[in-house]
Every structure is written in structure tokens, then in C-alpha cells.
Amino acid sequence: DGGITQSPKYLFRKEGQNVTLSCEQNLNHDAMYWYRQDPGQGLRLIYYSQIVNDFQKGDIAEGYSVSREKKESFPLTVTSAQKNPTAFYLCASSVNTGELFFGEGSRLTVL
Amino acid sequence: SQQGEEDPQALSIQEGENATMNCSYKTSINNLQWYRQNSGRGLVHLILIRSNEREKHSGRLRVTLDTSKKSSSLLITASRAADTASYFCATERNTGGFKTIFGAGTRLFVKA
């Protein structure tokens, strides 16, 4: 079945460590997105990419990095520069405009 | 920054009642979308309304859009306990790249 797969579902990180969250889609979508969600809050855009080898910063890009080397993949690295990384991370894709298709999310906890 | 703001933040109703959620936004948009999120899960797309449309229906959902007031509403008729979830509006802007921005959401609880 087509969809978006995020892994891992749960991740624990020690302070000072970088971690990478995986996002893979087989929907043949051009655009992909990373959002962060804090408890009881809405989604805030971290990075988005509309085409392979190109991506733009969202509203809260500081402390995060991404790459888009393949159409299917848009990994997010949470670096040690991100001061408060504990959150629920959601990846999405779309056919450039319109409906977003979401993965099931990755919950990152800093110990 | 959040483009959309939902109102109310939380809503509790009895099964069978209608639920209305509102969304206001700040800048011009290409379209407005509503999503649903069950606790701890990803978001699921419900309905999209374009800036030149005023009303749209999908099953028990009715969405309206008033671009002059920069607002939208989502009506769920004859609610069910399974409708319990958070509902988010999202607006798409063309800012040199298409960006979809979400509001803080309305938490709906439907009592059986």
C-alpha cells in the first residue's frame, strides 16, 4: 500500500547527541514536509522540500537539518543545537499543493 | 508563527449533537484545509476548500469559507463518539514555495 513511513516511532536521546528521524514515501509525491508538535499544540513547520535536492526553512528550522537526495526520502536530523528537542515529529508529503499525507509520527524524548 | 487560530480550544458535546469549530487566519491563501488527529497519531485530511469556494460538503462534514473575514468553519453533524479527536485548520500560502501552516487545533470530545 502507498503511504508514508516514519521511523523510529519512539526515540530517546541524551543531551548533546544528534539524532536522525527517517521519513520515506512511496506516493511519488514531489513535496515533503517536517512538522513539530508539542503537547496540546498545533503543528509548526520545520523544513519543507518541493523537489529533489532543494529544501527551504520553515518557521522553526534552527537546530535542525534535512536532506533531499531522493524523491522518496526526507530525513530530519535533530542536532545538539536544538535546545528543547523533546516533541512529536510529523512528516508529510503532497503533490506540491493541496492535501498533505502524514506519517504516524516519531516521538523524541531527551533524557 | 501560526497562520490559523481555531476556536474553541476545546469542545465537549453529547453524541448526536452537531459540533462547530471555527478558524481565523491572517494573510491571503490559496486554500484552506481541515485535518483530524487522533491522540498520538498522524493527521488525516478531511476536506479542502479553495479560496474561490464558499462552501463544501463531505458526508457529515460541512465547511464554509469567508475570505472577506478571513475565517472558516467546520460543522460535524450528528456527532459520534468516534469523532472524538483534535481538529486542525491549515492554510496554504504561496510564499515563493508552497507552505502549509496549521493552527493550534480544537479538541473535540463526544460523549456516548
Side-chain angles (χ1 to χ4, degrees):
Chain A
D1 282 10
I4 298 185
T5 301
Q6 288 188 240
S7 63
K9 190 168 177 65
Y10 299 96
L11 185 61
F12 299 90
R13 185 193 99 173
K14 292 182 181 178
E15 286 194 26
Q17 283 183 336
N18 292 357
V19 293
T20 297
L21 307 180
S22 169
C23 179
E24 303 279 331
Q25 55 102 354
N26 60 4
L27 299 168
N28 200 32
H29 287 170
D30 288 314
M32 297 187 75
Y33 309 79
W34 274 106
Y35 291 89
R36 169 183 171 139
Q37 186 177 32
D38 292 286
Q41 302 294 314
L43 281 66
R44 290 184 290 168
L45 183 63
I46 305 173
Y47 269 98
Y48 64 108
S49 167
Q50 293 195 278
I51 196 168
V52 175
N53 292 322
D54 188 46
F55 48 83
Q56 288 81 41
K57 292 181 179 180
D59 298 317
I60 55 164
E62 185 175 350
Y64 299 97
S65 66
V66 293
S67 63
R68 187 84 188 277
E69 296 176 2
K70 297 187 299 181
K71 188 175 186 178
E72 306 78 31
S73 179
F74 191 41
L76 173 74
T77 296
V78 184
T79 75
S80 56
Q82 170 50 237
K83 298 306 177 188
N84 185 22
T86 293
F88 190 50
Y89 292 88
L90 287 156
C91 179
S93 71
S94 73
V95 184
N96 264 333
T97 70
E99 177 182 352
L100 299 184
F101 291 78
F102 282 85
E104 285 297 303
S106 293
R107 189 168 299 280
L108 172 63
T109 303
V110 173
L111 302 173
Chain B
S1 62
Q2 289 184 323
Q3 162 78 317
E5 296 293 336
E6 286 93 337
D7 169 58
Q9 291 185 336
L11 181 60
S12 181
I13 59 174
Q14 291 290 140
E15 208 167 27
E17 293 180 340
N18 294 345
T20 299
M21 290 160 265
N22 303 297
C23 170
S24 59
Y25 58 92
K26 297 173 185 172
T27 63
S28 62
I29 59 173
N30 295 327
N31 64 58
L32 186 144
Q33 302 167 50
W34 286 90
Y35 289 81
R36 167 196 168 119
Q37 183 183 34
N38 286 12
S39 182
R41 305 291 299 274
L43 278 71
V44 175
H45 183 264
L46 295 176
I47 198 165
L48 179 152
I49 187 166
R50 303 199 182 282
S51 58
N52 61 353
E53 297 176 307
R54 292 295 167 258
E55 187 170 314
K56 211 161 178 181
H57 296 255
S58 177
R60 293 185 295 114
L61 305 180
R62 173 178 169 252
V63 168
T64 61
L65 178 64
D66 186 336
T67 53
S68 66
K69 295 181 180 177
K70 292 187 168 57
S71 68
S72 172
S73 68
L74 170 68
L75 169 67
I76 303 174
T77 60
S79 63
R80 305 165 182 167
D83 293 328
T84 294
S86 291
Y87 292 83
F88 295 90
C89 72
T91 51
E92 183 187 278
R93 293 175 283 157
N94 185 351
T95 57
F98 292 101
K99 225 162 101 166
T100 301
I101 305 296
F102 286 79
T106 293
R107 277 151 285 286
L108 173 66
F109 181 65
V110 181
K111 293 177 279 188

